[in-house]
Amino acid sequence: DTAVSQTPKYLVTQMGNDKSIKCEQNLGHDTMYWYKQDSKKFLKIMFSYNNKELIINETVPNRFSPKSPDKAHLNLHINSLELGDSAVYFCASSQGSGSRGIDTQYFGPGTRLTVL
Amino acid sequence: QKEVEQDPGPLSVPEGAIVSLNCTYSNSAFQYFMWYRQYSRKGPELLMYTYSSGNKEDGRFTAQVDKSSKYISLFIRDSQPSDSATYLCAITSGTYKYIFGTGTRLKVLA
């Protein structure tokens, strides 16, 4: 049973295209996240949703638009892809509201995006 | 100054060695300190976490936090080739936002 899953695993596309990455969690968590990990392994948060509401929106170009149709899904749509968007994108989830103490984040396997 | 600093390595050690991985952070508001392990082409997985200062031990792994010097450490005893991975420290004040270090790549040689 995969806790946090992402599709696709690999995505190769041309500059200027629009693409989407999907994420699903079956942990019953309230909060989901998108992270970007660059070639130097630096992992930086992009967005977070709690119960389908946006709660974290870091300084990310508005070409990136997250969408949460329900608590178990958080998709990431990217318009007009640029070379600098090449990275590994990780989805994560946590229990969120109602959790006591640390709100452990569980990560998906990542989507490796290459923009040519 | 970055909020979390971590030496990227790579760090190569022989099997059985004691490994010390470290991070420094700048904001004293952070209270939770975590270590994630990331194998090649996989997502990060939580190894252990500590709250406030002190030590926490889990098998061969010990996490240590010194809030006075804003320094966090992860020690791995009797390191094994299966420990070869990138280790990322992460900090949070207890909100949803985690701040990660850049990760230290560790290679344990058989």
Side-chain angles (χ1 to χ4, degrees):
Chain A
D1 278 349
T2 305
V4 182
S5 58
Q6 297 177 226
T7 53
K9 198 167 180 180
Y10 299 95
L11 188 51
V12 181
T13 188
Q14 300 285 336
M15 253 176 33
N17 284 351
D18 303 339
K19 290 293 177 187
S20 291
I21 308 172
K22 294 186 177 182
C23 178
E24 177 180 0
Q25 54 95 4
N26 62 7
L27 297 167
H29 287 166
D30 288 339
T31 308
M32 296 184 73
Y33 311 78
W34 276 111
Y35 283 86
K36 179 181 180 181
Q37 188 172 48
D38 62 23
S39 57
K40 294 184 179 177
K41 294 287 193 181
F42 183 51
L43 192 63
K44 192 171 184 344
I45 191 165
M46 300 171 69
F47 302 102
S48 177
Y49 272 72
N50 179 253
N51 279 317
K52 301 194 298 174
E53 284 194 32
L54 184 66
I55 55 170
I56 294 176
N57 185 354
E58 291 294 290
T59 310
V60 176
N62 57 16
R63 298 182 294 104
F64 291 79
S65 52
K67 283 189 174 51
S68 182
D70 55 56
K71 276 190 348 179
H73 295 85
L74 180 62
N75 304 323
L76 183 65
H77 188 76
I78 316 170
N79 288 329
S80 304
L81 278 155
E82 300 177 358
L83 294 175
D85 297 332
S86 295
V88 182
Y89 291 84
F90 286 101
C91 177
S93 74
S94 68
Q95 188 176 348
S97 50
S99 67
R100 295 170 63 182
I102 193 172
D103 190 27
T104 303
Q105 294 185 16
Y106 298 85
F107 284 79
T111 296
R112 187 171 293 269
L113 171 65
T114 302
V115 182
L116 303 174
Chain B
Q1 183 190 8
K2 283 186 182 172
E3 288 187 280
V4 181
E5 300 269 7
Q6 186 176 6
D7 187 337
L11 179 62
S12 290
V13 300
E15 185 176 354
I18 296 174
V19 177
S20 171
L21 304 166
N22 309 293
C23 287
T24 58
Y25 63 96
S26 56
N27 189 336
S28 56
F30 295 119
Q31 297 180 59
Y32 295 92
F33 307 92
M34 293 147 285
W35 285 96
Y36 276 78
R37 178 175 60 196
Q38 186 177 17
Y39 290 114
S40 183
R41 297 190 177 257
K42 301 283 186 186
E45 54 177 343
L46 181 66
L47 204 53
M48 55 197 305
Y49 74 90
T50 52
Y51 171 69
S52 195
S53 279
N55 291 0
K56 186 174 184 179
E57 193 172 315
D58 184 1
R60 296 184 295 110
F61 298 88
T62 300
Q64 196 172 76
V65 176
D66 181 349
K67 287 193 78 177
S68 61
S69 54
K70 299 190 184 71
Y71 197 81
I72 59 176
S73 303
L74 178 70
F75 299 96
I76 307 174
R77 288 185 302 281
D78 187 25
S79 55
Q80 303 294 310
S82 58
D83 295 328
S84 298
T86 297
Y87 290 80
L88 301 115
C89 63
I91 55 177
T92 179
S93 57
T95 65
Y96 299 108
K97 187 174 174 182
Y98 281 19
I99 298 169
F100 282 85
T102 50
T104 300
R105 193 152 54 93
L106 171 68
K107 189 162 186 178
V108 181
L109 305 168

